[in-house]
Amino acid sequence: MQKLLVAMLQGSVTSLGVFFLTLLFSLPLGLLICMGRMHKSRIIRYPVSTLMLIVRGTPLILQLIFIYFAPYYLFRLSYDRFTAAIIAFSINYACYFAEIYRGGIESIPNGQYEASKILGFTKGQTFFRIILPQVIKRIIPATGNEVITLVKDTALAQTIGVAELFRAAQNAASREFSTVPIFIAGIFYFVMNWVVTALFVQLEKKLSYYK
């Protein structure tokens, strides 16, 4: 049992690495994609919209396989599995976050933009000082749902051989001919999601002054 727990903890460290790095890259990337999606120029808007359609319309597991294997077969370029997983997860979740951002931005009344212009604010000041803080408050529930899904989706990294939590559980289950490791992995995922949920509840309470 001790060896099993050690293996599970090591797998959890990898899963947490995938989780935090995905958030680190996908949250700001999602904002950039959102800006491209809402851009007035068709030259920018159409390619970004096409990217979002492809990413959101295909399974993450397929994107993982493509991003890991395609560079080698197309350009003879290769990189490690963990890097491929981070790239795939970041692009995938950035597209979903982009739609969440867009919904939040479009929910802000146009009168606020007009009032900011009259007060002499630039477009950048209006967005980052007035609009974005309100958007963040409004998108917290939807963002929380995506982050919870990300915790569970880290299990897909084992598709390309990343030794994360679920892969460690599968290996242990195969060695011991038991489903106990899978059950323990479920407990690990539950605890991680419980922590994420608690953090988002606290964040929503702190931002409640926008009500």
Side-chain angles (χ1 to χ4, degrees):
M1 179 60 72
Q2 184 177 358
K3 291 183 178 179
L4 172 61
L5 290 176
V6 170
M8 301 289 277
L9 287 172
Q10 291 174 341
S12 296
V13 171
T14 303
S15 293
L16 289 172
V18 173
F19 173 78
F20 285 114
L21 288 174
T22 298
L23 288 182
L24 178 65
F25 295 121
S26 64
L27 288 171
L29 179 59
L31 186 58
L32 290 177
I33 293 174
C34 173
M35 295 296 100
R37 171 70 173 79
M38 300 176 68
H39 203 279
K40 294 180 180 180
S41 174
R42 295 181 180 180
I43 297 176
I44 297 175
R45 188 172 69 252
Y46 283 177
V48 173
S49 298
T50 301
L51 171 66
M52 292 179 64
L53 178 63
I54 293 172
V55 171
R56 297 171 68 216
T58 56
L60 176 55
I61 189 172
L62 180 61
Q63 295 166 27
L64 280 162
I65 294 171
F66 178 82
I67 288 176
Y68 180 61
F69 289 105
Y72 177 78
Y73 288 109
L74 294 176
F75 310 108
R76 289 294 184 265
L77 298 175
S78 61
Y79 44 85
D80 63 89
R81 293 177 173 86
F82 186 81
T83 300
I86 298 303
I87 294 172
F89 274 92
S90 297
I91 294 174
N92 181 277
Y93 273 84
C95 289
Y96 284 96
F97 286 137
E99 277 298 279
I100 293 174
Y101 291 146
R102 186 173 70 88
I105 292 171
E106 292 183 345
S107 70
I108 304 298
N110 288 329
Q112 295 199 26
Y113 293 94
E114 296 171 359
S116 299
K117 185 176 180 180
I118 292 173
L119 292 172
F121 287 96
T122 64
K123 290 183 177 180
Q125 290 173 331
T126 299
F127 181 76
F128 287 104
R129 295 185 181 183
I130 299 174
I131 305 302
L132 190 58
Q134 297 178 73
V135 169
I136 291 173
K137 171 63 176 69
R138 297 186 183 199
I139 67 174
I140 287 296
T143 303
N145 286 337
E146 286 299 319
V147 174
I148 288 171
T149 301
L150 173 59
V151 172
K152 295 177 286 187
D153 277 352
T154 56
L156 294 176
Q158 58 92 25
T159 304
I160 56 175
V162 177
E164 44 68 61
L165 175 59
F166 192 71
R167 185 177 181 87
Q170 282 185 317
N171 292 339
S174 299
R175 288 195 307 268
E176 301 178 12
F177 299 99
S178 172
T179 58
V180 172
I182 303 296
F183 177 76
I184 295 175
I187 295 175
F188 273 73
Y189 284 116
F190 174 80
V191 171
M192 286 189 285
N193 270 329
W194 177 78
V195 172
V196 168
T197 301
L199 289 174
F200 271 90
V201 168
Q202 290 301 316
L203 180 59
E204 196 166 357
K205 287 181 179 179
K206 287 185 178 181
L207 295 175
S208 61
Y209 55 80
Y210 281 115
K211 292 182 178 179

